[in-house]
């Protein structure tokens, strides 16, 4: 029996088999969570997607890490750009399905304008937000989130009150207030876990409302705490 001929026949069939899934590369794709893997076609598309939306901060997530990534989304973002958490399965489908791709890119196009508009509407409250982001569920629906540092909202009011003190205050009191502001500035830069609050919404308008409500509540809690110091 000519075994070489049989081997060549199977090799020929395999080479022409278009139903086989494209091989996935095991490599890094910039910022990622877990060990995502993309085919060469999907990898090329993902690089194009990041360039197209260069004002966004993409993080590629492996399928087995989706829940963990979403639960800790606030750790990865910043208040300078919009964080986009997206898993490798969606990128793979976007690379091969034109309608699926158009749907998701349409959401990203809208987010570009909505994000800038919401930050403008937040005004000074935007200073209390540590990170903004968006993510997608398996049905193609987008949701949005923001991580708020409650201490920043309270700090802003305290600093303003210190600046409004009468010039007649003692020099020692002014120096103490200045040191306190400096310490709070250091804390605000790094943030404490207990001060972080994540709010989620299904629309930009809802996210705007929740951010404003959370910041207002933080300031209200600060005023109440100050009043409590005078009791007794």
């Amino acid at each position: 029996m000519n075994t070489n001929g049989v081997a060549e026949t199977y090799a020929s069939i395999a080479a022409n088999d278009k139903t086989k899934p494209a091989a996935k590369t095991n490599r890094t794709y910039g910022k990622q969570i877990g060990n995502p893997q993309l085919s060469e076609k999907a990898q090329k598309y993902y690089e194009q997607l990041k360039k197209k939306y260069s004002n966004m901060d993409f993080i590629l997530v492996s399928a087995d890490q989706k829940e963990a990534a979403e639960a800790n989304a606030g750790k990865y973002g910043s208040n300078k750009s919009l964080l986009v958490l997206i898993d490798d399965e969606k990128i793979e489908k976007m690379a091969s399905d034109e309608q699926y791709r158009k749907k998701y890119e349409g959401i990203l196009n809208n987010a570009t304008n909505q994000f800038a508009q919401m930050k403008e509407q937040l005004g000074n409250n935007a200073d209390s937000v540590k990170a903004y982001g968006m993510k997608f569920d398996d049905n193609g629906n987008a949701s949005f989130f923001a991580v708020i540092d409650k201490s920043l909202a309270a700090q802003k009011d305290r600093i303003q009150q210190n600046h409004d003190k009468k010039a007649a205050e003692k020099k020692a009191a002014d120096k103490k207030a200045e040191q306190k502001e400096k310490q709070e500035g250091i804390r605000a830069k790094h943030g404490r876990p207990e001060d972080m609050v994540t709010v989620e919404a299904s629309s930009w308008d809802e996210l705007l409302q929740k951010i404003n409500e959370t910041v207002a509540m933080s300031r209200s809690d600060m005023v109440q705490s100050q009043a409590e110091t005078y009791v007794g």
Side-chain angles (χ1 to χ4, degrees), residues 55-160:
N55 59 323
M56 298 181 180
D57 189 12
F58 284 86
I59 296 184
L60 188 64
V61 184
S62 58
D64 63 325
Q65 293 293 320
K66 284 194 293 185
E67 291 186 6
E70 292 177 1
N72 297 284
K75 295 181 179 180
Y76 312 114
S78 74
N79 58 4
K80 303 299 182 182
S81 58
L82 182 65
L83 172 70
V84 180
L85 288 176
I86 191 162
D87 62 82
D88 51 3
E89 292 178 339
K90 290 185 177 65
I91 292 295
E92 201 70 48
K93 190 171 182 179
M94 289 170 75
S96 58
D97 187 328
E98 183 178 357
Q99 293 303 316
Y100 191 82
R101 177 169 65 249
K102 285 182 177 180
K103 179 177 182 179
Y104 278 89
E105 288 194 7
I107 296 173
L108 293 172
N109 285 335
N110 182 62
T112 299
N113 297 326
Q114 293 291 337
F115 176 54
Q117 182 178 338
M118 187 193 68
K119 288 186 70 176
E120 184 177 350
Q121 291 176 327
L122 281 172
N124 292 333
N125 284 352
D127 296 338
S128 300
V129 181
K130 298 288 288 185
Y132 301 92
M134 65 184 297
K135 54 190 178 181
F136 303 95
D137 63 21
D138 292 334
N139 297 317
N141 300 311
S143 60
F144 313 93
F145 64 88
V147 181
I148 302 166
D149 188 339
K150 296 188 298 181
S151 69
L152 291 179
Q155 174 199 356
K156 189 177 182 66
D157 284 354
R158 282 196 294 266
I159 291 176
Q160 184 61 46

Side-chain angles (χ1 to χ4, degrees), residues 201-219:
S202 58
S203 70
W204 290 103
D205 288 339
E206 183 184 4
L207 185 64
L208 173 67
Q209 179 181 350
K210 286 188 173 182
I211 292 173
N212 284 332
E213 289 176 350
T214 303
V215 172
M217 187 177 299
S218 300
R219 288 175 175 164

Side-chain angles (χ1 to χ4, degrees), residues 163-174:
H163 288 169
D164 292 341
K165 285 181 179 179
K166 295 180 180 179
E169 285 186 332
K170 295 180 181 180
K171 185 177 181 180
D174 288 339

